[in-house]
Amino acid sequence: MVTVLLVDDSKLARIVAGKTIAALQPEWQRVEASNAEEALQAVKDQPVDLAVLDFNMPGKDGLELAAELRESYPQMPIAIITANVQNEIVARARELNATFVGKPVTEDAIKGFLRGAALRLRQVGA
């Protein structure tokens, strides 16, 4: 069973992203969090295989959360999702070996990340 951590402070955004992930990978389980602290607790409570993180959140932003996740899970596929398409944010996401996905999240926008994540997880035997 593959578990996706979906982190966004907007419940609506989590619903939209969750439906998109479910349409593409219906057998995958989703764990949702509304901020970085909830997300970090979620990964302590259960194994998580990949993460889809909003950039703009109160407290720690998605890049800070990605950096923390990367320390403990260096091979975890991570996507940073934001409408804030600035070169600096895209560059920071790449430095963290995270995929940048622009909002609004569409099936096409996230399909490449999920396919790549599934391939990577199969390679590491998750």
Side-chain angles (χ1 to χ4, degrees):
M1 172 70 75
V2 174
T3 302
V4 180
L5 175 63
L6 182 55
V7 187
D8 197 309
D9 58 315
S10 164
K11 184 170 181 62
L12 178 61
R14 288 194 312 271
I15 290 169
V16 169
K19 284 184 178 180
T20 303
I21 292 167
L24 294 166
Q25 297 288 351
E27 70 284 1
W28 288 9
Q29 178 181 338
R30 290 179 315 282
V31 175
E32 296 185 9
S34 63
N35 58 51
E37 295 309 315
E38 285 180 17
L40 292 170
Q41 186 59 51
V43 298
K44 286 180 186 170
D45 293 343
Q46 64 191 357
V48 171
D49 300 296
L50 65 145
V52 177
L53 315 175
D54 182 32
F55 171 68
N56 289 313
M57 295 186 291
K60 293 178 188 170
D61 67 34
L63 289 170
E64 291 171 304
L65 176 55
E68 283 194 47
L69 290 171
R70 195 52 79 221
E71 287 176 21
S72 300
Y73 309 96
Q75 299 304 314
M76 178 188 284
I78 298 174
I80 304 292
I81 296 181
T82 184
N84 191 347
V85 184
Q86 295 180 28
N87 290 337
E88 178 187 337
I89 294 168
V90 174
R92 285 177 57 205
R94 287 190 181 135
E95 286 171 15
L96 291 167
N97 194 22
T99 301
F100 182 89
V101 178
K103 278 187 177 179
V105 175
T106 63
E107 196 169 303
D108 283 344
I110 203 162
K111 187 185 296 183
F113 168 71
L114 295 179
R115 281 188 180 155
L119 179 62
R120 212 152 135 200
L121 292 171
R122 279 195 296 274
Q123 289 172 340
V124 297

